[in-house]
Amino acid sequence: METYLVGGAVRDELLGLPPGDRDWVVVGATPQQMLEAGFQPVGRDFPVFLHPQTGEEHALARTERKSGRGHRGFVVDADPSVTLEEDLQRRDFTINAIARAGDGRLVDPWGGARDLRDRVLRHVGPAFVEDPLRVLRAARFMARLAPLGFRVAPETMELMRAMVAAGELETLVAERVWQELRKALAAARPSAFLATLRACGALAVVLPEVDALYGVPQRAEFHPEVDTGVHQELVSDMAARLAPGDDLVGFAALAHDLGKALTPAHVLPRHIGHEGAGLKPLARLCERLRVPAAHRKLAEAVCREHLNVHRLGELRDDTVLELLERCDAFRQPAQVARIALCCEADKRGRLDHEDDAYPQGPELQRLHAAAAAVNARDLALAEGISGPQVGAALRRARVRAIAAARTLRRDAG
C-alpha cells in the first residue's frame, strides 16, 4: 500500500498559494484493507475513506470508463492493480494530475509542473470530453487562476467548443452548474469564468440571461465601456474585490442588470425600467439552477433597487424607509450591507471608474441604523397605543429618525 498527496494540494503548493484541503490517493490496497487499518468509508460512487486520525480523504487509485451521457455516466475500477499513473490520467487538467510521494518527490507524468510554470490550463488527454462538467471546471479554475496569468490552452478550448456543440452541457444537473458558478463568484476574477464560458459557447447554454447582455449598448456618458456584457464582467470583478469570497454578493452583482437584455432596440442605448424588467429573467435563472433562497432574495433586491440606492440623496425620507422595507431590512439587517456593496460594485464596475467614491453605501447603512434604533415596544408604552396603531406610529417614528440622521449629517458637514 502506497499513499500519495494529489490534486489541488500539490498544485497550490507549487504555485505558492495558501494550502487548502489535502486529498490522498492510495495505490495497491483493497477496501477491506482500508477498513482493517481503521479508515472510515464515505464514498458513494467510488471507494473513499477518512483517515482515522487526520480525517483527510483517502481514495483508492481508480480508472473510469465512459458508460453514458453526462458527468455521472462512468464505470469505476478501483482494483489494487490500478497504478498511480493510471489514476492521474483520468484527471481533468495536467496541473491537477501531479502527485507527491512520502519522500517528497513529484510524480508528474502529464507535465503539470511545466504547465504551472507556463501558466497554462491544459487537459490531460482525450477522455476530457467524456465529462461535460469539466467545461465549467475550466472556467471556474480560470476565475481563480487568471490573476496569476493563466490562460486556457488552445487545444483545450477546441475540445470545450466541441463538447458544447455536441450538446453535452445540456446533460448537466442544476445543482452541479450552481456549485461551479457559486465557486467562481467567490473567486478573485469572476469575469474570467464568464469570458471562458463565452469563448467556447457554453455561456449561452448555462447562463443565457447573462450571455444576452453582450453586445447590448449603454449610454457612453455613464458607461464608457458601452457593452453591457463588458460592464457585467467589470461589476463581477469589483464585487469580488469589495466582498472577497462572498458568493451572495457575487450572485446579486451578476444578476443586477439582466433587464437590459430586454430593452427594445428603438430605445437603446437607454434602459428605462430595466430594474423591474430584470426580475423575470432573474426568476427563470434561479428556478433553472435551483438557486438558494438567500441568494435569490438578495439578487431580487439589488436588481429592483440599485438605481434607487444610486440616487439615495434625492429620495424623500419616507421613500428611503419604503426602500428599506422592500429589502426586508428590519428583519434581515445584514441584507443592507450586502445591497450597499452590490450597488457600489455596479457604480465602480465601469471603465476608468474603479476608484470612484461611493458615499451612498455607507449612507444607506447609516439611515437604516437610525430607523432600526426605533423600538416599537417603547413607542407603544410612551404613546399608550396598541394593535395596528403601533405599526403606523413605528413607521412615522422611523421616518423622523431618518430625517434627523440626515439633518445631523448636513449640520456636521
Side-chain angles (χ1 to χ4, degrees):
M1 186 190 305
E2 295 180 323
T3 303
Y4 298 85
L5 183 66
V6 293
V10 181
R11 178 197 66 227
D12 291 348
E13 174 195 333
L14 294 175
L15 285 172
L17 297 176
D21 293 337
R22 299 199 305 170
D23 294 320
W24 304 82
V25 66
V26 182
V27 178
T30 65
Q32 185 60 37
Q33 287 175 308
M34 298 295 286
L35 294 174
E36 291 172 355
F39 286 80
Q40 298 297 314
V42 293
R44 183 179 62 179
D45 299 323
F46 46 83
V48 179
F49 303 83
L50 299 183
H51 191 281
Q53 277 79 48
T54 66
E56 294 175 335
E57 286 192 357
H58 287 60
L60 297 187
R62 67 185 189 272
T63 60
E64 295 173 346
R65 178 172 51 84
K66 189 72 171 173
S67 61
R69 296 194 76 192
H71 74 282
R72 299 183 67 89
F74 290 90
V75 174
V76 174
D77 178 14
D79 188 85
S81 64
V82 175
T83 67
L84 175 62
E85 288 73 14
E86 288 173 328
D87 180 272
L88 296 175
Q89 186 177 20
R90 67 172 177 79
R91 297 174 184 266
D92 48 10
F93 304 106
T94 61
I95 64 173
N96 295 331
I98 310 171
R100 187 178 289 283
D103 60 6
R105 65 184 175 87
L106 288 180
V107 181
D108 181 22
W110 311 109
R114 179 194 62 234
D115 284 341
L116 284 174
R117 290 193 300 269
D118 295 342
R119 299 300 195 251
V120 176
L121 187 67
R122 190 191 315 276
H123 65 286
V124 171
F128 179 87
V129 301
E130 296 177 351
D131 186 353
L133 189 65
R134 288 172 171 173
V135 174
L136 271 67
R137 281 175 57 82
R140 191 247 297 173
F141 274 119
M142 287 302 297
R144 183 175 183 231
L145 299 176
L148 300 179
F150 273 79
R151 58 185 175 83
V152 179
E155 60 270 28
T156 301
M157 183 61 72
E158 283 301 314
L159 284 183
M160 291 162 60
R161 291 193 184 104
M163 295 165 72
V164 174
E168 282 288 332
L169 270 67
E170 295 164 11
T171 67
L172 291 174
V173 297
E175 291 82 0
R176 299 306 298 268
V177 175
W178 169 247
Q179 185 180 51
E180 295 299 321
L181 173 59
R182 188 173 188 171
K183 290 177 181 177
L185 293 173
R189 193 175 295 174
S191 65
F193 176 82
L194 300 177
T196 301
L197 290 183
R198 188 163 178 258
C200 68
L203 190 63
V205 178
V206 297
L207 291 172
E209 298 84 0
V210 177
D211 185 70
L213 297 174
Y214 288 88
V216 176
Q218 302 166 108
R219 294 172 64 182
E221 62 267 37
F222 300 119
H223 289 276
E225 69 285 351
V226 180
D227 190 307
T228 307
V230 175
H231 168 59
Q232 181 54 63
E233 291 183 4
L234 294 171
V235 172
S236 289
D237 285 354
M238 183 57 67
R241 173 178 161 185
L242 295 173
D246 191 333
D247 53 84
L248 273 165
V249 170
F251 180 70
L254 177 71
H256 83 287
D257 262 353
L258 296 182
K260 288 184 175 179
L262 305 177
T263 301
H266 71 276
V267 178
L268 296 173
R270 295 179 301 161
H271 293 276
I272 301 169
H274 74 276
E275 318 94 280
L279 294 173
K280 284 188 177 180
L282 171 60
R284 288 196 300 271
L285 189 160
C286 290
E287 289 164 11
R288 187 177 67 254
L289 298 187
R290 301 178 187 176
V291 174
H295 291 73
R296 179 171 184 165
K297 189 169 185 179
L298 179 63
E300 289 172 344
V302 173
C303 180
R304 185 182 61 240
E305 307 293 350
H306 64 277
L307 290 192
N308 288 329
V309 177
H310 290 342
R311 60 188 187 95
L312 184 65
E314 304 170 20
L315 303 184
R316 300 193 309 267
D317 300 329
D318 59 334
T319 306
V320 173
L321 178 61
E322 290 168 0
L323 186 160
L324 292 170
E325 290 173 336
R326 287 194 300 272
C327 296
D328 203 17
F330 300 106
R331 289 196 307 168
Q332 297 190 44
Q335 288 282 81
V336 180
R338 285 194 165 107
I339 290 170
L341 286 171
C342 291
C343 294
E344 181 175 353
D346 174 39
K347 201 68 172 180
R348 294 172 61 186
R350 308 176 189 212
L351 193 63
D352 299 326
H353 287 272
E354 60 272 10
D355 295 321
D356 285 3
Y358 191 71
Q360 297 95 318
E363 180 70 357
L364 180 68
Q365 295 179 75
R366 196 177 71 86
L367 297 181
H368 168 252
V374 179
N375 187 287
R377 182 178 298 176
D378 293 344
L379 194 64
L381 291 173
E383 299 189 14
I385 56 177
S386 61
Q389 294 175 310
V390 176
L394 179 62
R395 292 196 82 256
R396 291 193 297 270
R398 282 174 168 169
V399 171
R400 291 195 298 270
I402 290 170
R406 285 175 141 176
T407 300
L408 182 65
R409 171 59 60 87
R410 284 194 294 269
D411 292 346

